Amino acid sequence: MKPIAVILSGCGVFDGSEIHESVLTLLSLSRAGVAYQCFAPDRDQRHVVNHLTGEVAEGEQRNILVESARIARGEIQPLSALVVDDFAAVILPGGFGAAKNLCDFAVAGAGCEVEEDVMASCRAFTAAGKPSGFLCIAPIMLPKLYGEGVKGTIGTDAGTAEAFTQMGGAHQDCLVTDIVVDEVHQVVSSPAYMLAGNIAEAAEGIDKLVQQVVAMCQR
C-alpha cells in the first residue's frame, strides 16, 4: 500500500494543527503498518496565539510549514510538493489552524473560502478515487471542497453544524468515539476535540477514522 499524506496547518490548537490529533493520527497510521508523509502550506499563518494566555501575540509571525515541522520532527514537505499519484489517501487533523490557515472559516463563517492549494490537493484525491479523512473542525471545509450534499460531521455543535448545512453539506451528528462516512466522495470525518473531554476519547474516534480510511484504500 502506498503511504498516506497528512496535511498539517501549524503547531498548536489555537493557531495551527491540534497537536494531540496530529500525533494520534500518525501513531494510528504507524500501528496500522502504513507509511505516511506530512505536508503543510509554505506561507505565513493567519496569526500567532500565546497558548499560555490564549491571547494573540501582536506583531509576531510564523510560517505554517516551519511550525508544522515541529510535529513532524522535521520530516515534512511543502504542500506544493504533494503528488497525489504517490499516495493512497489524505488525512487532515483539526485545530484552529484548519479554520484559519487552510481556509478562513474562523473569520468568514459560512462564507468561507478554502485556500487554493488545499482545494487542489483534496479534490485531486477524490478525482483519483482515493479516500480522505477530516478531523475536528477540518470537516467544515467539506461542502466547499466537494459540493452540495457531501456528508460529514463536526460532532454536535449546533452553530457549526448550521454553517456546514448553509454551505450545502449534509451534516450528521456524531459521538466523539465514532465516524461519519460519505461513500460517494470517499470522505471520513470524526469530531475529535470538537467533543473530546480528554486525549483517550479523541484517540478512539481518530483510530476508527484511520482504520476506515486504510480499509477504503485496500478495496
Side-chain angles (χ1 to χ4, degrees):
M1 178 176 159
K2 292 181 178 180
I4 287 180
V6 178
I7 299 178
L8 301 177
S9 59
C11 182
V13 59
F14 299 128
D15 58 11
S17 290
E18 212 294 322
I19 297 172
H20 292 178
E21 291 177 6
S22 302
V23 173
L24 287 168
T25 297
L26 303 182
L27 175 62
S28 186
L29 287 168
S30 183
R31 284 179 169 169
V34 179
Y36 58 80
Q37 175 64 54
C38 293
F39 295 88
D42 185 7
R43 57 173 174 268
D44 287 343
Q45 58 192 56
R46 181 171 294 276
H47 58 212
V48 177
V49 174
N50 181 325
H51 280 60
L52 183 62
T53 65
E55 298 177 352
V56 174
E58 298 293 348
E60 186 174 348
Q61 190 53 270
R62 299 187 185 185
N63 178 278
I64 302 168
L65 177 61
V66 172
E67 290 302 294
S68 298
R70 294 174 179 271
I71 296 174
R73 294 173 58 86
E75 295 295 325
I76 193 166
Q77 297 179 19
L79 185 55
S80 59
L82 198 167
V83 178
V84 173
D85 287 346
D86 294 341
F87 296 91
V90 63
I91 297 177
L92 286 76
F96 280 111
K100 294 177 178 179
N101 303 328
L102 304 186
C103 73
D104 61 355
F105 178 78
V107 295
C112 71
E113 297 294 336
V114 178
E115 294 289 340
E116 290 184 7
D117 51 1
V118 179
M119 178 85 76
S121 296
C122 291
R123 284 184 169 175
F125 275 95
T126 298
K130 298 180 178 184
S132 306
F134 291 75
L135 292 164
C136 191
I137 192 62
I140 200 64
M141 293 184 280
L142 294 181
K144 295 290 183 177
L145 290 170
Y146 307 119
E148 193 81 20
V150 62
K151 295 179 183 177
T153 189
I154 48 77
T156 57
D157 180 76
T160 312
E162 182 179 357
F164 189 98
T165 302
Q166 287 177 359
M167 288 189 283
H171 184 266
Q172 314 286 306
D173 283 353
C174 181
L175 298 175
V176 64
T177 54
D178 211 348
I179 59 175
V180 168
V181 181
D182 182 321
E183 292 286 357
V184 174
H185 299 90
Q186 294 203 76
V187 173
V188 188
S189 52
S190 188
Y193 271 104
M194 287 294 289
L195 289 179
N198 56 59
I199 193 171
E201 288 183 354
E204 188 169 350
I206 291 170
D207 198 48
K208 283 184 180 178
L209 180 141
V210 168
Q211 290 178 25
Q212 178 65 33
V213 168
V214 171
M216 293 168 84
C217 292
Q218 296 171 335
R219 290 177 182 173

